[in-house]
Amino acid sequence: VGIDFTGSNGDPRSPDSLHYLSPNGVNEYLTAIWSVGMVIQDYDTDKMFPAFGFGAQIPPSFQVSHEFPINFNPSNPFCNGIQGIVEAYRACLPQVKLYGPTNFSPIINHVARFAAEATQQQTASQYFILLIITDGVITDLDQTRTAIVNASKLPMSIIIVGVGGADFDAMEFLDGDNGVLRSSSGEPAVRDIVQFVPFRKFQNVSVLNEALAQCVLAEVPQQVVNYFSTYKLQPPRNP
């Protein structure tokens, strides 16, 4: 999970901020983590999720980081279930300073390194999903395009959840549904691995989880199957 801690979200102490914790302890980021997380966590056997933030100044020296573990433990960035991510987020928020710019490529490349190691597998046993929750104002579009094109060769998919009411044209563009996404040098993605979900569309839906689940998982199962079929990898035999 990658969480956007950039300044465009607004000061977390201000009620207009997407990171503002209301008196009942929720905000749009938490609602998105919880709703989308509950949909996809069941595909993971151990429910231990590495969770990172990007675009904030972090303690102790307050340098800007684009991939810091939200539990501040680089050697063990894992959170226990969606509840663990929620708790780590709540504890992290008051300790960081929202900053910028909004760079997606470091966290995509970070997950791609794990996915690249998994290409050594002989069976269809490991596939990575990166869930990015963002207010959508992206700074490194060219680097991100290249990172996605490189990742399209690996066992991974990216779900981008847009919170707030910003202009999400860049996210729609990365989704690649309107044509093949190309890197800044013109190399085409070998497959579509990005699904963009505008979260606000679902906030007033009576069957939120069902409608959201359909949108979140609209493309991922096919992306998983495509990848393993392309490399002719069979599922591991049942024990």
Side-chain angles (χ1 to χ4, degrees):
V1 178
I3 300 170
D4 182 339
F5 285 99
T6 54
S8 54
N9 286 285
D11 182 342
R13 291 165 302 196
S14 152
D16 339 336
S17 168
L18 292 165
H19 280 297
Y20 175 72
L21 288 174
S22 67
N24 60 1
V26 296
N27 61 25
E28 205 160 328
Y29 273 85
L30 278 174
T31 312
I33 292 168
W34 195 256
S35 312
V36 179
M38 292 308 274
V39 171
I40 53 179
Q41 71 166 354
D42 292 335
Y43 293 88
D44 188 291
T45 42
D46 64 8
K47 309 271 188 294
M48 295 299 289
F49 305 112
F52 299 91
F54 58 90
Q57 293 176 311
I58 59 168
S61 59
F62 289 95
Q63 80 281 16
V64 176
S65 172
H66 296 292
E67 44 170 322
F68 62 92
I70 61 172
N71 65 3
F72 299 113
N73 182 349
S75 58
N76 184 7
F78 291 87
C79 300
N80 191 351
I82 301 306
Q83 183 65 44
I85 298 174
V86 166
E87 285 162 10
Y89 167 84
R90 283 200 172 118
C92 162
L93 192 54
Q95 299 183 62
V96 300
K97 290 183 183 152
L98 271 58
Y99 206 69
T102 309
N103 291 350
F104 280 16
S105 57
I107 199 156
I108 294 173
N109 290 330
H110 181 96
V111 177
R113 286 196 287 276
F114 292 107
E117 284 171 23
T119 56
Q120 308 305 311
Q121 62 193 348
Q122 303 305 308
T123 59
S125 54
Q126 271 192 302
Y127 194 92
F128 294 82
I129 307 279
L130 169 60
L131 171 61
I132 297 178
I133 305 175
T134 177
D135 72 341
V137 186
I138 182 171
T139 320
D140 66 336
L141 191 59
D142 284 351
Q143 292 91 326
T144 295
R145 281 162 54 192
T146 300
I148 292 171
V149 167
N150 292 337
S152 70
K153 307 171 187 127
L154 302 171
M156 70 179 272
S157 289
I158 302 166
I159 299 169
I160 302 174
V161 176
V163 294
D167 172 0
F168 288 122
D169 285 355
M171 305 299 113
E172 301 278 9
F173 170 70
L174 294 175
D175 193 323
D177 286 350
N178 303 325
V180 176
L181 182 72
R182 290 178 181 273
S183 72
S184 44
S185 65
E187 183 190 350
V190 294
R191 57 197 189 95
D192 173 18
I193 61 165
V194 179
Q195 172 70 351
F196 170 64
V197 180
F199 191 64
R200 286 225 165 147
K201 258 194 190 165
F202 298 94
Q203 280 188 303
N204 305 319
V205 178
S206 53
V207 281
L208 167 77
N209 288 359
E210 206 170 296
L212 183 68
Q214 277 184 323
C215 185
V216 167
L217 293 175
E219 298 178 8
V220 172
Q222 197 56 48
Q223 291 168 359
V224 174
V225 172
N226 277 354
Y227 177 82
F228 289 124
S229 309
T230 304
Y231 292 95
K232 301 187 171 44
L233 293 172
Q234 296 296 319
R237 288 206 184 86
N238 286 333

